[in-house]
Amino acid sequence: MRITFLGHAGFAVETAGALVVMDPWLTPQGAFDSAWMQLPRNHHLAPRVKELLETPGKERFLYISHEHKDHFDPEFLATIAKRDFTVLVPKFRRSELRDIFEKYGCKRVIACEDSREIPIKGGYIKLFVSEQGTNRDSSVMVRGDGQCFLNINDCKMHDRLVRVIAEEGPIDVFSAQFSGAIWHPTCYEYPKETYSAISLKKRDSKFEAVARALDVVQPRAYIAAAGPAAFLDPSLFSLNFEDVNIFPRAPALFSYLEKRLPTLPTRYLEPMPGDVLDAGSLEFVSQVPERVTTENFKEYLQTYAKDMAHIFRERRRNLMLEEVDQIHGRLRVELQRKLDLLDLHDRVGMPLYVELTEAPTRLLRVDFKGRRVDEVTEMRDKSRYAMKVSASDIVRVLDRKLNWEDFLLSFRLRLSRNPDVYEPVLHGFLGVEVEDIREFCEGIRATESQKERTTVDAGGKRFTIQRFCPHQGADLAEGWVEEGRYVVCPRHRWQFDLQNGGACKTNNSTLCAEPVADKPEGGKVERGGDKAPADKLPALDKAPVEPPRV
């Protein structure tokens, strides 16, 4: 098996009988309205990937993990002329991704259910599908030539890895995201010290998730992929050089892993786009001459930004007053349409203010309790969430050139909230499309309806807790305990305080923790947590426990 790194989360995996191209993101336009650019640049690989997919011989597959544009690249895919290959996509409840490929004109499209195997000569391809409400993702495994590659990219399936490895056996090469891909705290107006503290905590949380995955998977090699993008827009360029943010590079991860897992024999690899790895020998059989290092990083980005400057010059647009007024009205209608469909509106305890930078005295106030969007001249609520954005950026959402989530990931907005507490429903209201609002609400209710409980030992005591995380339903039986009191979700690392009824440290969610009076005798199984930066990391009992009588 040979694995060619295509940049970001992209790979071309070749076995004796098949070729699988995974998430090729190659367009020079980048993603999220050109806010994200590939790092290192990989546009030169587009002809090679086209050739691989267009050349007959081996059975050829194109795998797209999910809809985010740093994984699903319509611009590049449109350039492929000969499409006699098979497209593999996860079978989500929302059919948009497979509908797009049904019209694409390829040999066939296979929408894969969770854990479905696609046979290939000498092995198989298997997809693992994760869908919680409107959060859709997948990961892929290729087994062939006596080797196995598991690429979970951005997929939050950490709570499933124990079972996957038990069922699938040894993994030779493993890849998982290690960098941030969210707008908090990047877009929030925090003091520098607060911003750095939040970023450091999130960065280390992401690193810890990779460490725990490696401890479970025990691969022979780990490829650092789905890492940070390059931010080349002049308004975002400083993000590349912040002392601490949620976009670390691979050397920082490797330093963490070497301290966290000093005896793990896994090789840590940071390939450049175009490098080819032999999965059997774990040697690079081909490496490109251009390497991005810590020493040349700043100069590399400055040259890259200069080469791409034309993209951002073409984006600039000065709006007439009448255009701003029209965009303001359209945005108000869009927000009201969302609000009309948000039947969990009564859970949001603060209004949302939206300000167009071109019209700072005409704020839109979203009143969730009253289900109204009004125009006001100033923020009059002490408790509020606020978003500031330019009309020239938000109009691309209203024109359906971007969806709401892509816009938020462009980082071309400023956010603030008081109190500084995560509001899941408000967060979803901002990021979800109008047509997905009802599904978003149904997903929250479905997660909350899971009443199964489990037990956990912490600080010398035993508690019963809800087994599934109230955020997106992760199985907390695969979680761990930190500082003798906090249950940590394995998917997004939310912390729940057992000494405070299982309340989340950062929002109003809870695991409804109850102490168990008599702790049973006997030892408990540890899951590789003795080297983690926490007091104890006991395994959680997987056996369901009847809810305690109140």
Side-chain angles (χ1 to χ4, degrees), residues 52-71:
L52 286 172
L53 285 169
E54 292 178 344
T55 301
K58 293 180 180 180
E59 191 171 9
R60 287 155 288 142
F61 298 88
L62 170 67
Y63 161 71
I64 303 297
S65 62
H66 61 297
E67 299 167 16
H68 283 174
K69 297 304 186 295
D70 57 328
H71 297 259

Side-chain angles (χ1 to χ4, degrees), residues 10-64:
F11 297 93
V13 180
E14 296 181 80
T15 70
L19 163 76
V20 185
V21 174
M22 305 173 178
D23 285 350
W25 177 36
L26 300 164
T27 175
Q29 300 298 318
F32 309 123
D33 206 11
S34 299
W36 294 34
M37 292 290 187
Q38 299 89 334
L39 180 66
R41 66 174 88 192
N42 63 351
H43 319 127
H44 61 285
L45 293 178
R48 173 61 179 151
V49 177
K50 287 170 60 178
E51 181 184 8
L52 286 172
L53 285 169
E54 292 178 344
T55 301
K58 293 180 180 180
E59 191 171 9
R60 287 155 288 142
F61 298 88
L62 170 67
Y63 161 71
I64 303 297

Side-chain angles (χ1 to χ4, degrees), residues 266-336:
T266 299
R267 288 186 60 188
Y268 304 137
L269 307 174
E270 183 189 12
M272 295 295 111
D275 286 354
V276 182
L277 178 73
D278 184 292
S281 67
L282 299 185
E283 298 296 330
F284 285 105
V285 297
S286 175
Q287 287 189 292
V288 299
E290 183 180 52
R291 320 300 290 180
V292 179
T293 66
T294 301
E295 291 72 26
N296 70 8
F297 180 66
K298 184 173 183 179
E299 181 182 359
Y300 179 89
L301 277 179
Q302 289 172 336
T303 301
Y304 193 0
K306 183 177 179 181
D307 293 344
M308 295 296 177
H310 64 281
I311 292 176
F312 305 103
R313 285 196 298 267
E314 292 163 4
R315 280 192 81 259
R316 293 177 194 152
R317 182 184 168 204
N318 294 320
L319 298 176
M320 302 292 290
L321 185 60
E322 293 133 351
E323 291 178 285
V324 173
D325 187 61
Q326 183 185 53
I327 292 167
H328 188 279
R330 291 175 64 193
L331 179 58
R332 181 175 181 176
V333 170
E334 176 88 351
L335 294 172
Q336 186 66 61

Side-chain angles (χ1 to χ4, degrees), residues 472-486:
Q472 289 183 1
D475 187 352
L476 294 175
E478 302 295 342
W480 61 91
V481 173
E482 292 180 350
E483 301 177 36
R485 65 186 290 182
Y486 299 111

Side-chain angles (χ1 to χ4, degrees), residues 276-546:
V276 182
L277 178 73
D278 184 292
S281 67
L282 299 185
E283 298 296 330
F284 285 105
V285 297
S286 175
Q287 287 189 292
V288 299
E290 183 180 52
R291 320 300 290 180
V292 179
T293 66
T294 301
E295 291 72 26
N296 70 8
F297 180 66
K298 184 173 183 179
E299 181 182 359
Y300 179 89
L301 277 179
Q302 289 172 336
T303 301
Y304 193 0
K306 183 177 179 181
D307 293 344
M308 295 296 177
H310 64 281
I311 292 176
F312 305 103
R313 285 196 298 267
E314 292 163 4
R315 280 192 81 259
R316 293 177 194 152
R317 182 184 168 204
N318 294 320
L319 298 176
M320 302 292 290
L321 185 60
E322 293 133 351
E323 291 178 285
V324 173
D325 187 61
Q326 183 185 53
I327 292 167
H328 188 279
R330 291 175 64 193
L331 179 58
R332 181 175 181 176
V333 170
E334 176 88 351
L335 294 172
Q336 186 66 61
R337 288 179 64 207
K338 282 190 169 191
L339 189 56
D340 290 343
L341 295 170
L342 187 77
D343 56 15
L344 296 179
H345 62 94
D346 57 343
R347 298 192 183 189
V348 183
M350 62 177 72
L352 164 67
Y353 285 90
V354 180
E355 175 189 336
L356 296 183
T357 54
E358 298 90 342
T361 61
R362 300 181 58 201
L363 307 177
L364 293 175
R365 182 179 182 273
V366 181
D367 177 356
F368 290 93
K369 299 289 187 183
R371 303 190 88 169
R372 293 174 49 89
V373 180
D374 297 309
E375 183 178 324
V376 297
T377 57
E378 61 181 359
M379 286 192 237
R380 58 176 182 259
D381 301 273
K382 183 177 180 181
S383 174
R384 83 291 180 277
Y385 197 105
M387 178 174 77
K388 183 185 298 185
V389 59
S390 77
S392 59
D393 286 328
I394 199 67
V395 73
R396 297 177 65 77
V397 179
L398 302 176
D399 288 341
R400 301 301 182 246
K401 294 177 180 177
L402 287 177
N403 61 37
W404 276 96
E405 188 170 22
D406 285 357
F407 165 67
L408 292 168
L409 284 169
S410 77
F411 301 153
R412 295 188 179 103
L413 68 160
R414 300 305 299 165
L415 299 166
S416 63
R417 59 192 183 194
N418 184 39
D420 188 21
V421 174
Y422 175 73
E423 283 264 16
V425 176
L426 196 158
H427 194 268
F429 173 81
L430 275 178
V432 170
E433 299 304 292
V434 171
E435 58 268 25
D436 289 336
I437 289 285
R438 291 194 187 280
E439 182 186 350
F440 165 71
C441 295
E442 290 168 3
I444 291 177
R445 289 198 177 92
T447 297
E448 293 174 345
S449 70
Q450 300 180 91
K451 300 301 183 183
E452 186 175 337
R453 295 178 71 84
T454 189
T455 60
V456 55
D457 292 344
K461 299 178 181 179
R462 171 161 285 201
F463 300 83
T464 70
I465 61 171
Q466 292 179 0
R467 175 170 172 173
F468 299 99
C469 180
H471 178 213
Q472 289 183 1
D475 187 352
L476 294 175
E478 302 295 342
W480 61 91
V481 173
E482 292 180 350
E483 301 177 36
R485 65 186 290 182
Y486 299 111
V487 173
V488 182
C489 172
R491 191 174 292 166
H492 292 96
R493 278 82 60 199
W494 281 23
Q495 292 181 311
F496 299 89
D497 188 354
L498 294 169
Q499 295 181 21
N500 187 27
C504 183
K505 287 181 66 176
T506 56
N507 58 66
N508 296 322
S509 302
T510 180
L511 300 182
C512 301
E514 295 280 351
V516 176
D518 297 315
K519 178 181 174 181
E521 295 183 1
K524 52 181 178 284
V525 178
E526 300 288 339
R527 288 193 187 141
D530 54 325
K531 299 180 182 68
D535 295 342
K536 291 183 179 181
L537 295 169
L540 303 187
D541 185 352
K542 287 187 178 181
V545 176
E546 289 294 325

